[in-house]
């Protein structure tokens, strides 16, 4: 089990498989590197695939402080610097995409070659000028309800998220696997990072991203209306948008063959 320590002393789990052009893959809120189990084995045949559990998540240290999007972005920089990799294509799913936007805002294109955003809208909350927020946490009242569910029924909240992330009903084994992985993230951590995540609006920054970009959009996501995720691709200059017609939020899980090919072809194209 490989770990390193961030500049504030937190032990972070990471995994590296394969050789070639580097591809860094970051999961979403409460999720772990194991969510990529249908992707890393194939992608690592073509690339050097780097995965990481965010602080408080998965196999990383369960610290009860500094759960903010910007701090998570610094953790990524710490890892890329530690591994001394350059020309990295960074891929973020859901909240992972927001963390990568924060990375680019803070550090520019430091060590980066390309960006892949997977099913994340530029902001969570709905309002007079934004109709495509997060379906289950679209305003402060719903955030409070989410906090209540996580605090008093953490396992039930994890099981609910497992169902919400998929278009097709998972079998019992998959549902348990997803809920088990989510449950590795303590309730306090789940609440605190979501508190920060839900209050950020990236619409002003996204048009200023200057990297080759691929945006993957789930047409049947129960987390975001597809228009919200597509907005990202429409507003990153020159971005490629790929729609997944038979998937929910975890499109890399429900259409893994297409996902692996689309991502792999993108990484090869920008490194040609």
């Amino acid at each position: 089990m490989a770990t390193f320590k961030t500049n504030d002393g937190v032990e972070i789990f990471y995994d590296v498989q394969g050789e070639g052009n580097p591809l860094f893959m970051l999961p979403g809120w409460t999720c772990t590197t194991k969510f990529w189990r249908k992707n890393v084995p194939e992608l690592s045949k073509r690339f050097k695939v780097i995965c990481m559990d965010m602080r408080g998540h998965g196999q990383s240290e369960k610290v009860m402080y500094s759960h903010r999007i910007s701090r998570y972005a610094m953790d990524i920089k710490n890892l890329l610097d530690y591994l001394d990799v350059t020309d990295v294509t960074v891929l973020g799913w859901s909240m992972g995409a927001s963390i990568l936007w924060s990375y680019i805002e803070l550090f520019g294109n430091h060590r980066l070659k390309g960006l892949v955003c997977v099913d994340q809208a530029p902001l969570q909350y709905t309002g007079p000028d934004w109709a495509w927020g997060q379906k289950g946490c679209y305003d402060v009242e719903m955030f409070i309800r989410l906090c209540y569910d996580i605090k008093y029924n953490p396992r039930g909240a994890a099981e609910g998220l497992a169902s919400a992330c998929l278009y097709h009903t998972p079998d019992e084994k998959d549902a348990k696997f997803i809920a088990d992985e989510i449950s590795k993230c303590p309730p306090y951590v789940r609440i605190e990072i979501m508190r920060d995540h839900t209050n950020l609006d990236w619409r002003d920054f996204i048009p200023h991203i200057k990297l080759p970009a691929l945006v993957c959009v789930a047409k049947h996501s129960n987390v975001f209306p597809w228009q919200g995720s597509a907005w990202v691709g429409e507003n990153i200059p020159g971005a490629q948008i790929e729609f997944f017609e038979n998937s929910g939020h975890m499109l890399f899980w429900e259409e893994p063959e297409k996902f692996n090919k689309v991502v792999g072809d993108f990484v090869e194209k920008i490194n040609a």
Side-chain angles (χ1 to χ4, degrees), residues 21 27 37 48 66 71 81 110 125 149 157 160 162 176 199 207 214 221 229:
N21 296 315
R37 67 183 189 178
K48 181 177 186 176
S66 295
R71 178 62 248 190
D81 289 344
H110 176 71
Y125 290 165
D149 289 342
K176 182 180 184 302
N199 283 286
L214 166 67
S221 177
S229 301

Side-chain angles (χ1 to χ4, degrees), residues 94-127:
S94 195
M95 189 182 78
S98 298
I99 296 166
L100 295 180
W101 300 335
S102 180
Y103 179 104
I104 297 166
E105 183 180 51
L106 292 168
F107 311 118
N109 294 347
H110 176 71
R111 297 188 180 273
L112 305 189
K113 182 79 170 187
L115 171 67
V116 182
C117 305
V118 182
D119 213 52
Q120 173 65 43
L123 70 160
Q124 301 276 108
Y125 290 165
T126 58

Side-chain angles (χ1 to χ4, degrees), residues 30-82:
T30 72
C31 300
T32 74
T33 58
K34 292 183 180 180
F35 275 66
W36 304 120
R37 67 183 189 178
K38 298 184 180 183
N39 315 111
V40 169
E42 289 302 314
L43 290 168
S44 63
K45 294 175 182 177
R46 303 167 68 179
F47 312 109
K48 181 177 186 176
V49 180
I50 304 164
C51 299
M52 181 184 96
D53 282 339
M54 296 172 283
R55 61 174 59 204
H57 292 62
Q59 299 178 74
S60 289
E61 186 178 353
K62 302 303 186 288
V63 293
M64 298 298 157
Y65 60 88
S66 295
H67 293 288
R68 281 172 284 279
I69 296 295
S70 58
R71 178 62 248 190
Y72 284 23
M74 175 59 90
D75 293 346
I76 293 171
K77 180 180 183 295
N78 288 167
L79 176 59
L80 298 184
D81 289 344
Y82 174 80

Side-chain angles (χ1 to χ4, degrees), residues 126-172:
T126 58
D129 62 343
W130 185 254
W132 300 318
Q134 217 262 28
K135 293 180 180 180
C137 188
Y138 49 81
D139 59 19
V140 174
E141 172 64 26
M142 291 307 296
F143 171 71
I144 293 170
R145 293 187 184 191
L146 176 66
C147 292
Y148 182 92
D149 289 342
I150 292 170
K151 183 175 181 179
Y152 295 104
N153 185 19
R155 181 67 188 192
E159 292 172 352
L161 188 58
S163 298
C165 283
L166 296 169
Y167 176 46
H168 303 282
T169 302
D171 62 30
E172 185 175 336

